[in-house]
Amino acid sequence: MAVSLVRSHSEKQAGYRELVLEAPTIAPLVRPGQFVHLRIPRLEHRLLRRPFSIFMADQDTLTILYKSVGTGTQLLTQVEQGEAVSLLGPLGNGFPEPNNDHIPLLIAGGYGVAPLYLLASRMARTGVLFVGGRTRTDILCDDEFEALGWDVQIATEDGSRGIQGLVTSALDAWAANNAGAEPAELFACGPDGMLRAVGERAITHNWKGWLSLDKHMGCGMGACLACVQRIRQPDGSIEWERVCKDGPIFEAREIVWEQENEDNHE
Amino acid sequence: MAVSLVRSHSEKQAGYRELVLEAPTIAPLVRPGQFVHLRIPRLEHRLLRRPFSIFMADQDTLTILYKSVGTGTQLLTQVEQGEAVSLLGPLGNGFPEPNNDHIPLLIAGGYGVAPLYLLASRMARTGVLFVGGRTRTDILCDDEFEALGWDVQIATEDGSRGIQGLVTSALDAWAANNAGAEPAELFACGPDGMLRAVGERAITHNWKGWLSLDKHMGCGMGACLACVQRIRQPDGSIEWERVCKDGPIFEAREIVWEQENEDNHE
Amino acid sequence: MSDSDAMLDLAVNIGELRLKNPVMVASGTFGYGPEYADLVDLSKLGAMVVKGIRKIPWEGNEPPRMVEVPGGLVNAIGLQGPGAQGFVDKYIPFLKQYDVPVIVNIWGTTLEEYGEVAAILDAADGVHALEINISCPNVKEGGIAFGTNVDTAANVMQMVRKNTRLPVIPKLSPNVPNIGDFAKIAEQCGCDAISLINTLPAMVIDIETRRPVLTNTVGGLSGPAIHPVAVKLVWEAAAAVNIPVIAMGGIQNAQDAIEFILAGASAVAVGTANFVDPMTPLTVIDGIADYMRRHNVQRFSDLIGALDVH
Amino acid sequence: MSDSDAMLDLAVNIGELRLKNPVMVASGTFGYGPEYADLVDLSKLGAMVVKGIRKIPWEGNEPPRMVEVPGGLVNAIGLQGPGAQGFVDKYIPFLKQYDVPVIVNIWGTTLEEYGEVAAILDAADGVHALEINISCPNVKEGGIAFGTNVDTAANVMQMVRKNTRLPVIPKLSPNVPNIGDFAKIAEQCGCDAISLINTLPAMVIDIETRRPVLTNTVGGLSGPAIHPVAVKLVWEAAAAVNIPVIAMGGIQNAQDAIEFILAGASAVAVGTANFVDPMTPLTVIDGIADYMRRHNVQRFSDLIGALDVH
Ligand SMILES: Cc1cc2nc3c(=O)[nH]c(=O)nc-3n(C[C@H](O)[C@H](O)[C@H](O)COP(=O)(O)OP(=O)(O)OC[C@H]3O[C@@H](n4cnc5c(N)ncnc54)[C@H](O)[C@@H]3O)c2cc1C
Ligand SMILES: Cc1cc2nc3c(=O)[nH]c(=O)nc-3n(C[C@H](O)[C@H](O)[C@H](O)COP(=O)(O)OP(=O)(O)OC[C@H]3O[C@@H](n4cnc5c(N)ncnc54)[C@H](O)[C@@H]3O)c2cc1C
Ligand SMILES: Cc1cc2nc3c(=O)[nH]c(=O)nc-3n(C[C@H](O)[C@H](O)[C@H](O)COP(=O)(O)O)c2cc1C
Ligand SMILES: Cc1cc2nc3c(=O)[nH]c(=O)nc-3n(C[C@H](O)[C@H](O)[C@H](O)COP(=O)(O)O)c2cc1C
Ligand code: FES
Ligand code: FES
């Protein structure tokens, strides 16, 4: 737990902002895929903290990349340089060590690029980033990935950038072209529907698929049991695990998706 | 009811601020002693509006002079030029027309100068302002009153400005020096203890004493009955009246002060 | 007004009373009519519910009577009022100027007084329904003392029913584990509707003086803080009976009101929010209309109870 | 530590259990111990109250299980847990590392299960008291179903009392008009203390999908929104009995806790505020000490019930 000062806060592109926090006790500990649980200043009429993936981290600072979607994130946009923000973190399991014998495929939806960028920036090798969104302004960080030497493949639902369609179509096309060439390992972050579709690809192609789940959280510390997800255990039994503590990253085969309400995911 | 834009907002002196609001539908209607009921921007976790006396009013704007004392007024200090503020007003009865045959004596404690200044600035004649406070920084607007040609008498409890003591001591001294010279009319705004003491002087000297009461308010419109005060009626009976609607100004003889908890007033 | 607007039907019946829209103001939060009339055209309201009235004039409690808390306020006004005849003489002529049903909230300290105040108001021209307050936490006798026991509640309902032909609407106490039983008793006693919730019994202490902030010691909590509690009780009460339910508790906007309606309320009342923004009842009406347009609902009654439980 | 600090005595007894200070963490809001242990030294707490445990492991409800509302949150976790033996095996060894009394919150779907879980925990070394949950609104059987009727509540209390020598603390439901009766029954059944309040039954509806937000439909409201309601109930319950009262409901800071203490609570528990700021229990302890210093109170017990009612 730390009180961090805002070093800078700026718009990255329409609807998305970057918040850089001075967090010398947290930042050096960060593993890619972890998140911070942030108390939004002046959000007095709502109680809970908000979870955000860590987008960048060095010795002194950590950066989050966020989209303004509701009461809290809208107020967050008003935070100013020099203000104090209370942070819990780094939280969650983070991505496992990538297997360097496999080509890494990163699949991102919207702000899902955030943890994947930290992952990519610390990887021993480059691979392919598949990044999707509704429209062109939802495509983030393609420059940054290209600067790291990654192949960036873009898909938008409205066709305003890259191929028109879902990010999984781009992934499927890649898989078809590269059939058998090289084993791959998937790392994905984005909406549930996307993660589920990515997970199916991982299973079909017999690749590992590491999916970062996005669940509404209470404590963020494993105490309240608000964020649970059914996870298949090594012995075949199915148990609740806590997305905040045991996750947010699970392997595609472990996740027991809900049968019903499939369309009800956000 | 109006949504007003903040024309300016500045510190007047340590702890006191002046907020100028564009209120062309309200400002021209204002009578001295009336107040506005203000919804404080970003005070989301508290519901009620806050009442403030009108300090200045012209055709387009009205000004309040306030002290930061709690959750709401502290947030109010953060309101910026150009921001929108929701106002109800002008509310309350306001001071009666002064009797021009009598010398007006104004007695102010702390922010109590606010309605008295509007009153003075619209009076046909000048008189004496007695202004008191705990310490020198609680003495407000003496310059403004002097500019209007008023005699200003200052009292502070710690003696850091003017005479040391209560404002009523200054009033008593004046009354002793001017015994019988001229009939006076009192107009006072400040804490209950002060008002009560001023009311006693009014009765003793057989002057009219118009006291502006400060009660916690709910609606400010006469609907909720939160702000009631016992008032002696012309027929001698005692009835609750609403400080927000029937007041905030009552004549000293009408007010039935509470017997108990005398020291409990703020 | 667009074509689709012309077809929007916001009207709803509460017993024999037809409301042009389902949004009332809650008793005690809008005075007797004149207080907000300069700001809000009373004719636009679904109904005007006036502050609690007993037979005789009543002083209410000593101030302080109200204190703000996070998400709400605690009040102990204590039902100050001009008495039944005083109300009729002083406010009915004013209210008659408006095209709005007037619902009078009534109480008494004895069973008999409930009957008497009902009879006086029944005889007055210009009163359109009676809301029976058996749930006020702020008076020592009367109010909640009647409302938390099914038998005494039934006695009051029958007594009022006997003394008026006007629609009768008992206002239930939230402070019971079995709200459905109270709703059913109301239906059995021939009441035309029920309303809920009244404020939740509450207390605030000044830790510096070590005294209760309110002179009455306890008061009633209202405002957004109680809204999720009210939704649950309204849902339970509406499921228990066939008579209409009028819902209140923490409504700040149309969304809060629509939650109640989906849970089974036929009408709603805006209370504490009037103090925050007196236009709230009107914005709630507009917001419900907007919602109906967006969801292609033409008749308001199709929304009532349209909750899809998992 | 100054001279006056050395003399501050924050200790308090709950039955035979001596707490070094009166500030606990509330069941279900601090896990089983390890969750917050890196941030908060458990040895500094007055007591650690763990999440509700029944005899067998229990799945709880389907998510979503929590939703934020103004001034609070509504949860329907549904008492997910590892079962009595699972708890003993998995968490007692960890908890034993700390110098803190462990209070286990227990429940069952039958009277017998309450007895069995009590017996299992009684046999375990490292459990210091049992809090009986007869007030959870989020399980279909058990919980609140037992807690809103004086007779069934008494049966549970007697059953647990029979099966343990540990201090027994029934946790009362706020959802009753007569909390004093439940407090008295607890005293008569030989319970060592009572705790209150549990969450208030509540419901949130998503008006776009027209479904309850929580899969369980209803949940329990906690947080600042319920604090004034809790203060009133604690005051009433404390007045009814001589056994100690442990108070909870919306504590965010020392001031909120002191309100409870002045109203008659011997100890308090911090719940939802742990999610906002895990340091809250510690800042509440410090704040109580500050208050005692400022008010020249040397023994904490002199504050209990020190309210001066008008
Ligand atoms: C592990 C994790 C990492 C995340 N990383 C990022 C990130 O890097 N960038 C980013 O922009 N967003 C991220 N999110 C989503 C972010 O937490 C939500 O957008 C945010 O909580 C919305 O808050 P609000 O007050 O604006 O929305 P409101 O809808 O007003 O919030 C109401 C409640 O719902 C919760 N909530 C709403 N939407 C979500 C959501 N999508 N996920 C989880 N909880 C939600 C809020 O936390 C709050 O408790 C992440 C979520 C999780 C679980
Ligand atoms: C008719 C009238 C005119 C006023 N004129 C002025 C003025 O010109 N300048 C100025 O600085 N102040 C004035 N006040 C006092 C001002 O309303 C309070 O200082 C303000 O409400 C405090 O709000 P808060 O949120 O900062 O304090 P908090 O203590 O956090 O407020 C809590 C609650 O108590 C009420 N409250 C607290 N103190 C007072 C008080 N002294 N009077 C009334 N209600 C109070 C608040 O309105 C709120 O409902 C006036 C009050 C009244 C009744
Ligand atoms: C100041 C005040 C006065 C009230 N007076 C009455 C009353 O006279 N009779 C009554 O039945 N309810 C009374 N109520 C309760 C409201 O009508 C309503 O049931 C309750 O406040 C919940 O709604 P809300 O949260 O929207 O305010 C009063 C509430 C407040 C805040
Ligand atoms: C997420 C959550 C889980 C809870 N679980 C339990 C529980 O297992 N057993 C219990 O008796 N109370 C449980 N409670 C109730 C709390 O212990 C406490 O009584 C209540 O939340 C009021 O306190 P608060 O407002 O400080 O949170 C839970 C509350 C929350 C918010
Ligand atoms: S958010 Fe509390 S356990 Fe995950
Ligand atoms: S504040 Fe509501 S009547 Fe005066």
Side-chain angles (χ1 to χ4, degrees):
Chain A
M1 184 154 171
V3 173
S4 289
L5 298 185
V6 174
R7 177 161 301 175
S8 73
H9 190 190
S10 53
E11 186 162 75
K12 185 158 178 72
Q13 70 192 45
Y16 292 87
R17 296 175 72 88
E18 227 181 76
L19 180 71
V20 185
L21 295 162
E22 295 178 9
T25 59
I26 293 179
L29 309 174
V30 170
R31 292 192 310 274
Q34 290 190 302
F35 66 97
V36 287
H37 213 26
L38 201 145
R39 186 141 161 69
I40 295 179
R42 295 183 291 282
L43 186 61
E44 301 278 357
H45 57 311
R46 292 290 184 281
L47 293 177
L48 296 176
R49 289 168 177 265
R50 283 8 187 192
F52 297 96
S53 298
I54 299 162
F55 170 44
M56 298 196 282
D58 56 23
Q59 286 307 300
D60 301 324
T61 68
L62 55 84
T63 303
I64 65 170
L65 173 64
Y66 71 94
K67 183 171 185 183
S68 177
V69 298
T71 329
T73 45
Q74 251 146 45
L75 256 185
L76 186 56
T77 63
Q78 292 174 20
V79 167
E80 287 173 16
Q81 193 182 328
E83 261 195 84
V85 174
S86 162
L87 282 187
L88 292 175
L91 302 178
N93 56 357
F95 289 108
E97 273 305 315
N99 180 336
N100 286 326
D101 298 336
H102 294 183
I103 179 167
L105 306 183
L106 311 188
I107 303 102
Y111 57 74
V113 287
L116 297 176
Y117 178 68
L118 186 63
L119 180 68
S121 69
R122 296 194 182 174
M123 269 186 177
R125 59 175 290 181
T126 60
V128 189
L129 169 74
F130 300 90
V131 55
R134 225 177 25 76
T135 187
R136 51 179 308 160
T137 50
D138 295 316
I139 305 302
L140 289 157
C141 298
D142 43 311
D143 291 351
E144 280 94 331
F145 278 90
E146 280 172 358
L148 291 179
W150 284 62
D151 176 9
V152 176
Q153 311 238 354
I154 296 173
T156 54
E157 286 170 41
D158 65 359
S160 56
R161 256 197 90 182
I163 68 161
Q164 174 165 11
L166 297 175
V167 70
T168 38
S169 315
L171 176 62
D172 288 340
W174 184 91
N177 287 336
N178 292 263
E182 197 180 8
E185 189 174 22
L186 302 188
F187 301 86
C189 185
D192 266 17
M194 185 201 98
L195 293 181
R196 204 161 165 170
V198 169
E200 284 163 12
R201 270 54 172 193
I203 295 170
T204 309
H205 295 292
N206 211 12
W207 298 331
K208 284 278 179 201
W210 304 104
L211 312 181
S212 177
L213 300 184
D214 179 351
K215 284 265 178 190
H216 288 213
M217 288 180 180
C219 65
M221 301 284 296
C224 75
L225 308 179
C227 65
V228 295
Q229 169 68 43
R230 283 207 170 80
I231 297 294
R232 204 166 278 111
Q233 304 296 312
D235 69 1
S237 68
I238 290 171
E239 303 274 357
W240 290 123
E241 296 203 5
R242 299 159 301 177
V243 169
C244 68
K245 181 87 182 175
D246 309 310
I249 290 139
F250 297 97
E251 208 282 320
R253 289 153 190 83
E254 296 176 329
I255 300 172
V256 184
W257 297 102
E258 274 186 59
Q259 300 304 306
E260 322 151 302
N261 306 335
E262 299 197 0
D263 302 326
N264 224 6
H265 291 294
E266 293 183 353
Chain B
M1 184 151 169
V3 172
S4 289
L5 297 184
V6 174
R7 178 163 298 176
S8 72
H9 190 191
S10 53
E11 184 161 78
K12 187 163 176 70
Q13 71 191 43
Y16 293 87
R17 295 176 72 88
E18 227 180 76
L19 180 70
V20 184
L21 296 161
E22 294 177 9
T25 59
I26 293 179
L29 309 174
V30 170
R31 292 193 309 274
Q34 289 189 301
F35 66 95
V36 286
H37 212 27
L38 200 145
R39 185 141 163 68
I40 295 178
R42 295 184 290 281
L43 186 60
E44 300 280 357
H45 57 311
R46 292 289 185 281
L47 294 177
L48 296 177
R49 290 168 178 264
R50 282 10 186 191
F52 296 97
S53 299
I54 299 162
F55 169 45
M56 297 196 282
D58 56 23
Q59 286 307 300
D60 301 324
T61 67
L62 55 83
T63 304
I64 65 169
L65 173 65
Y66 71 93
K67 182 169 185 185
S68 176
V69 297
T71 330
T73 45
Q74 251 146 45
L75 256 185
L76 186 56
T77 63
Q78 292 175 20
V79 167
E80 288 174 15
Q81 194 179 328
E83 261 194 86
V85 174
S86 163
L87 283 186
L88 292 175
L91 301 177
N93 55 358
F95 289 107
E97 273 306 313
N99 181 337
N100 286 325
D101 298 336
H102 293 183
I103 178 168
L105 305 183
L106 310 189
I107 303 100
Y111 57 74
V113 287
L116 297 175
Y117 179 68
L118 186 63
L119 180 68
S121 68
R122 296 193 181 176
M123 271 186 175
R125 60 175 289 184
T126 61
V128 189
L129 169 73
F130 299 90
V131 53
R134 223 176 28 77
T135 186
R136 50 180 308 160
T137 51
D138 294 316
I139 304 301
L140 290 157
C141 298
D142 44 310
D143 291 350
E144 280 94 333
F145 277 89
E146 280 172 358
L148 291 178
W150 283 64
D151 176 7
V152 176
Q153 310 237 355
I154 295 173
T156 53
E157 285 172 42
D158 65 0
S160 56
R161 257 198 90 183
I163 69 162
Q164 173 164 9
L166 297 176
V167 69
T168 37
S169 315
L171 176 62
D172 288 340
W174 184 92
N177 288 336
N178 291 262
E182 195 179 10
E185 187 174 24
L186 302 188
F187 302 86
C189 186
D192 266 18
M194 184 201 100
L195 292 181
R196 203 163 168 168
V198 169
E200 284 163 12
R201 271 52 173 195
I203 295 169
T204 310
H205 295 295
N206 210 13
W207 299 330
K208 284 278 180 203
W210 303 104
L211 312 181
S212 178
L213 299 184
D214 178 350
K215 283 263 179 193
H216 288 214
M217 287 179 182
C219 65
M221 301 285 296
C224 75
L225 308 179
C227 64
V228 295
Q229 169 69 43
R230 284 209 169 79
I231 298 294
R232 206 167 277 110
Q233 305 297 309
D235 68 2
S237 68
I238 289 170
E239 303 274 358
W240 290 122
E241 296 203 5
R242 299 158 302 179
V243 170
C244 67
K245 182 86 181 175
D246 309 311
I249 289 137
F250 297 97
E251 209 281 320
R253 289 153 191 83
E254 295 176 330
I255 301 172
V256 184
W257 297 101
E258 275 187 58
Q259 300 305 305
E260 323 153 299
N261 305 337
E262 298 196 3
D263 302 327
N264 224 3
H265 290 293
E266 292 183 354
Chain C
M1 200 187 264
S2 72
D3 266 10
S4 72
D5 270 38
M7 299 179 61
L8 271 192
D9 178 8
L10 280 169
V12 66
N13 287 343
I14 302 295
E16 304 201 331
L17 196 62
R18 187 158 184 84
L19 313 183
K20 62 170 84 74
N21 69 61
V23 182
M24 316 182 173
V25 288
S27 178
T29 67
F30 221 70
Y32 304 101
E35 295 82 356
Y36 282 110
D38 287 348
L39 291 176
V40 177
D41 178 359
L42 304 184
S43 301
K44 293 207 172 140
L45 299 174
M48 165 76 204
V49 186
V50 302
K51 170 129 193 92
I53 298 281
R54 67 182 290 191
K55 189 187 168 199
I56 55 170
W58 184 246
E59 282 233 303
N61 294 324
E62 288 301 311
R65 291 175 168 188
M66 189 184 280
V67 52
E68 221 184 14
V69 293
L73 51 89
V74 180
N75 91 80
I77 306 298
L79 297 173
Q80 178 187 332
Q85 199 56 51
F87 165 73
V88 171
D89 296 343
K90 211 163 151 197
Y91 296 107
I92 291 283
F94 176 87
L95 288 164
K96 275 192 171 168
Q97 302 169 275
Y98 296 90
D99 174 25
V100 65
V102 172
I103 302 178
V104 181
N105 182 274
I106 62 170
W107 69 287
T109 57
T110 60
L111 193 55
E112 290 66 36
E113 190 179 359
Y114 274 100
E116 289 163 11
V117 62
I120 297 173
L121 292 165
D122 183 78
D125 180 33
V127 174
H128 302 96
L130 301 180
E131 181 177 56
I132 322 177
N133 187 349
I134 48 171
S135 46
C136 180
N138 300 328
V139 288
K140 293 210 170 49
E141 302 157 272
I144 208 167
F146 289 101
T148 51
N149 175 294
V150 177
D151 297 328
T152 54
N155 290 341
V156 175
M157 295 175 196
Q158 280 157 356
M159 177 60 92
V160 173
R161 180 70 293 170
K162 239 176 23 206
N163 280 279
T164 184
R165 327 130 291 124
L166 293 171
V168 167
I169 311 165
K171 183 163 177 178
L172 305 184
S173 172
N175 208 30
V176 297
N178 52 336
I179 195 79
D181 294 350
F182 288 82
K184 282 193 191 123
I185 278 288
E187 191 168 39
Q188 284 161 24
C189 291
C191 298
D192 300 271
I194 53 174
S195 65
L196 68 163
I197 65 173
N198 212 317
T199 56
L200 294 176
M203 180 168 171
V204 181
I205 294 171
D206 180 333
I207 67 165
E208 297 306 321
T209 62
R210 299 194 194 172
R211 287 167 154 258
V213 172
L214 300 173
T215 308
N216 192 51
T217 305
V218 302
L221 177 65
S222 64
I226 69 171
H227 183 251
V229 172
V231 172
K232 195 268 185 176
L233 289 166
V234 164
W235 176 68
E236 222 168 272
V241 293
N242 292 311
I243 51 175
V245 174
I246 304 168
M248 62 214 70
I251 296 179
Q252 292 212 292
N253 50 44
Q255 181 176 328
D256 297 333
I258 294 164
E259 283 194 59
F260 279 131
I261 294 158
L262 296 174
S266 297
V268 297
V270 175
T272 299
N274 294 312
F275 306 156
V276 184
D277 180 352
M279 298 299 162
T280 309
L282 306 185
T283 56
V284 169
I285 297 168
D286 291 347
I288 293 173
D290 279 350
Y291 178 86
M292 288 169 63
R293 259 177 238 120
R294 273 197 298 119
H295 286 253
N296 281 314
V297 177
Q298 248 130 49
R299 280 178 317 158
F300 171 74
S301 53
D302 291 340
L303 276 186
I304 300 170
L307 182 74
D308 179 9
V309 175
H310 296 278
Chain D
M1 197 189 268
S2 72
D3 266 10
S4 73
D5 270 37
M7 298 179 61
L8 271 193
D9 177 8
L10 279 170
V12 66
N13 287 343
I14 302 294
E16 304 203 329
L17 196 62
R18 186 158 183 83
L19 313 184
K20 64 171 82 75
N21 69 61
V23 182
M24 314 181 175
V25 287
S27 178
T29 67
F30 222 70
Y32 304 101
E35 296 82 356
Y36 282 109
D38 287 347
L39 291 176
V40 177
D41 177 359
L42 304 183
S43 301
K44 293 206 171 138
L45 300 175
M48 165 75 204
V49 187
V50 300
K51 169 128 194 90
I53 299 279
R54 66 183 291 192
K55 189 188 167 200
I56 54 170
W58 184 245
E59 282 234 302
N61 294 323
E62 289 301 311
R65 291 174 168 188
M66 190 184 279
V67 52
E68 220 185 14
V69 292
L73 52 89
V74 180
N75 91 80
I77 306 298
L79 297 174
Q80 179 188 328
Q85 199 55 53
F87 166 74
V88 171
D89 296 343
K90 212 163 150 195
Y91 297 107
I92 291 284
F94 176 88
L95 288 165
K96 275 193 169 165
Q97 302 170 274
Y98 297 90
D99 173 27
V100 64
V102 173
I103 302 179
V104 181
N105 183 272
I106 62 170
W107 70 287
T109 58
T110 60
L111 193 55
E112 290 66 38
E113 191 179 356
Y114 274 100
E116 288 164 13
V117 62
I120 297 172
L121 292 165
D122 183 77
D125 180 35
V127 174
H128 302 95
L130 300 181
E131 181 177 55
I132 322 176
N133 186 350
I134 48 171
S135 45
C136 179
N138 300 328
V139 288
K140 292 208 171 52
E141 303 157 271
I144 209 168
F146 288 101
T148 51
N149 175 293
V150 177
D151 297 328
T152 55
N155 290 341
V156 175
M157 295 175 197
Q158 280 156 356
M159 175 61 89
V160 173
R161 180 71 292 171
K162 238 175 27 203
N163 280 280
T164 185
R165 329 131 287 127
L166 293 171
V168 168
I169 310 164
K171 183 162 175 178
L172 305 184
S173 172
N175 208 27
V176 298
N178 52 335
I179 196 77
D181 294 350
F182 288 83
K184 281 192 192 126
I185 278 288
E187 191 168 39
Q188 285 161 23
C189 291
C191 297
D192 300 271
I194 54 173
S195 66
L196 69 163
I197 65 174
N198 212 316
T199 56
L200 295 177
M203 180 169 171
V204 181
I205 294 171
D206 180 332
I207 67 165
E208 296 306 322
T209 63
R210 299 196 194 170
R211 287 167 153 260
V213 173
L214 301 173
T215 308
N216 191 52
T217 304
V218 302
L221 177 65
S222 64
I226 70 171
H227 183 252
V229 172
V231 172
K232 194 265 185 180
L233 289 166
V234 164
W235 175 67
E236 222 169 273
V241 293
N242 291 314
I243 51 175
V245 174
I246 304 168
M248 63 213 72
I251 296 178
Q252 293 212 291
N253 49 43
Q255 181 176 327
D256 297 334
I258 294 164
E259 282 194 60
F260 279 131
I261 294 159
L262 296 174
S266 297
V268 297
V270 175
T272 299
N274 293 314
F275 307 156
V276 184
D277 180 352
M279 298 300 160
T280 310
L282 305 184
T283 53
V284 169
I285 296 168
D286 291 347
I288 293 173
D290 279 350
Y291 178 86
M292 288 170 63
R293 260 177 236 121
R294 273 198 297 119
H295 286 254
N296 281 314
V297 177
Q298 248 132 48
R299 280 179 316 159
F300 171 74
S301 53
D302 291 340
L303 277 186
I304 300 170
L307 181 73
D308 179 9
V309 175
H310 295 277

